[in-house]
Amino acid sequence: MHRVTIPTDDRMRALGRALAAELRAGDLVLLSGGLGAGKTTLTRGLGEGLDVRGAVTSPTFVIARVHPSLSGGPALVHVDAYRLTGLDDMEDLDLDVSLPESVVVVEWGEGKVEDLSEDRLEVRIERSAEEGDEVRTVTLIPYGERWQTGALAEVAAAAAV
């Protein structure tokens, strides 16, 4: 587990770009945090780092958006699971089909999509309790063999600069 303090939206996108450098096809990333915590902002940075087509915006009303790579890398599948009740609803999205060739990022996925892969990265974002404060604490929690490389320590260190 790695924890980093992120003071601004720009730094949150930078964290996403740094994390994207470590992602590859087949990776599952679960984002959790309250409304306005920065989940979509982090995903924008992931999209920039993965060099995908299209503006990364919240998929709340469409549930999932696919952003193809512009440079031959994996596509980014961005899912908002807020209105979904569990893995049965997620199966309708065919994420298990997309996962091997894409990076799948699921907002609000905790308790719903963990069974898609034993190897996953959970990213928990907590806002400061101070009104108007943009400071967030981001915790990166790796699960499975895939994430035992030590790369997350480097991502967290780079984001803390």
Side-chain angles (χ1 to χ4, degrees):
M1 176 169 43
H2 303 280
R3 187 168 283 135
V4 62
T5 300
I6 303 295
T8 65
D9 285 348
D10 286 342
R11 295 302 307 154
M12 185 66 82
R13 280 193 312 279
L15 173 61
R17 288 189 301 273
L19 184 56
E22 301 302 326
L23 294 175
R24 61 183 185 220
D27 283 341
L28 175 64
V29 181
L30 277 63
L31 305 180
S32 64
L35 289 171
K39 297 179 295 295
T40 300
T41 302
L42 177 69
T43 307
R44 280 188 193 108
L46 290 172
E48 292 168 9
L50 291 170
D51 191 30
V52 298
R53 185 178 69 210
V56 174
T57 60
S58 178
T60 300
F61 298 106
V62 295
I63 301 183
R65 283 197 168 91
V66 177
H67 298 275
S69 174
L70 293 170
S71 56
L76 171 65
V77 178
H78 184 198
V79 179
D80 185 326
Y82 184 76
R83 296 180 295 166
L84 304 179
T85 57
L87 194 54
D88 289 342
D89 285 346
M90 297 300 285
E91 285 179 2
D92 291 339
L93 298 175
D94 287 332
L95 291 181
D96 56 335
V97 172
S98 300
L99 187 56
E101 63 218 26
S102 306
V103 170
V104 176
V105 177
V106 183
E107 296 187 28
W108 304 99
E110 61 276 3
K112 299 175 185 174
V113 299
E114 289 89 344
D115 289 341
L116 284 174
S117 177
E118 290 180 13
D119 294 312
R120 67 185 182 279
L121 177 62
E122 293 187 13
V123 180
R124 296 185 185 151
I125 306 171
E126 299 171 6
R127 288 187 78 147
S128 168
E130 296 290 321
E131 185 69 32
D133 194 346
E134 289 187 35
V135 175
R136 283 130 169 118
T137 301
V138 177
T139 306
L140 305 171
I141 306 164
Y143 289 90
E145 260 184 67
R146 156 73 176 101
W147 293 104
Q148 302 310 311
T149 64
L152 291 179
E154 294 173 25
V155 169
V161 175

